[in-house]
């Protein structure tokens, strides 16, 4: 029997001194760098899950753009299929407060340098797509 899990998160960005930076988190359990995300709760939309999880994991509030929606599906365990939905989100607040139980480190990284920090090829592809999407936005 296969268990199905769903998480939602976002590529969170900000403009800083003329550069686009994205927020990366290092997970306590795996040590991997990725984007803030977490499991959906009953009655939540995908965007609501992303907003809540970003706030819980990083302490910042965001505006989510659901016009960008990318999914990744993988098997974290032999009997489990997990789908993660990623949006683009613009940071509304600045103070980073990592959720110590889940996040060991958190940092803003220039979008062009993000791929060198990310562990998974799927995440690197999402950054590439996010960069193109953000470039088309009127900021």
């Amino acid at each position: 029997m296969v268990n199905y899990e769903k998480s939602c998160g976002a590529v969170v960005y900000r403009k800083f001194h003329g550069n686009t930076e994205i927020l990366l988190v290092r997970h306590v359990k795996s040590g991997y760098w990725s984007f803030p995300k977490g499991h959906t709760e009953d009655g939540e939309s995908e965007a609501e899950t992303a907003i809540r999880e970003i706030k819980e994991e990083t302490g910042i509030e965001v505006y989510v753009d659901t016009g960008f929606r990318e999914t990744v599906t993988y098997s974290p365990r032999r009997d489990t299929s997990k789908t993660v939905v990623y949006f683009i989100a613009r940071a509304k607040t600045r103070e980073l407060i990592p959720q110590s139980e889940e996040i060991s480190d958190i940092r803003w990284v220039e979008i062009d340098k993000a791929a060198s920090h990310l562990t998974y090829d799927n995440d690197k592809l999402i950054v590439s797509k996010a960069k193109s999407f953000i470039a088309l936005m009127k900021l």
Side-chain angles (χ1 to χ4, degrees):
M1 186 166 114
V2 177
N3 297 309
Y4 294 96
E5 296 180 4
K6 184 174 184 180
S7 290
C8 298
V11 177
V12 179
Y13 75 96
R14 71 176 183 181
K15 293 290 187 176
F16 189 72
H17 298 298
N19 294 317
T20 301
E21 296 180 332
I22 62 172
L23 188 63
L24 299 180
V25 297
R26 178 181 248 163
H27 297 275
V28 168
K29 285 182 190 169
S30 65
Y32 296 138
W33 286 95
S34 189
F35 315 111
K37 66 180 179 305
H39 289 93
T40 56
E41 292 183 359
D42 288 343
E44 271 185 335
S45 70
E46 292 174 343
E48 288 168 339
T49 297
I51 290 166
R52 177 182 52 76
E53 285 290 343
I54 292 163
K55 176 77 172 165
E56 286 176 6
E57 289 189 355
T58 70
I60 66 169
E61 295 179 16
V62 296
Y63 298 103
V64 168
D65 187 334
T66 56
F68 178 94
R69 184 183 183 277
E70 292 290 326
T71 61
V72 175
T73 301
Y74 63 98
S75 293
R77 293 173 299 283
R78 222 175 0 160
D79 63 344
T80 304
S81 176
K82 182 170 185 171
T83 299
V84 183
V85 177
Y86 290 110
F87 299 108
I88 290 278
R90 184 167 52 88
K92 286 199 276 189
T93 57
R94 294 195 171 281
E95 187 181 4
L96 299 175
I97 306 166
Q99 184 182 31
S100 59
E101 309 84 50
E102 292 190 34
I103 306 301
S104 63
D105 197 0
I106 185 171
R107 64 178 65 155
W108 289 104
V109 177
E110 220 176 289
I111 198 163
D112 291 331
K113 296 177 180 164
S116 65
H117 289 79
L118 293 165
T119 305
Y120 295 111
D121 288 341
N122 284 333
D123 290 348
K124 294 174 187 182
L125 180 60
I126 287 171
V127 165
S128 176
K129 290 179 179 182
K131 182 180 175 184
S132 298
F133 187 87
I134 291 167
L136 295 173
M137 298 171 72
K138 305 289 184 240
L139 301 173

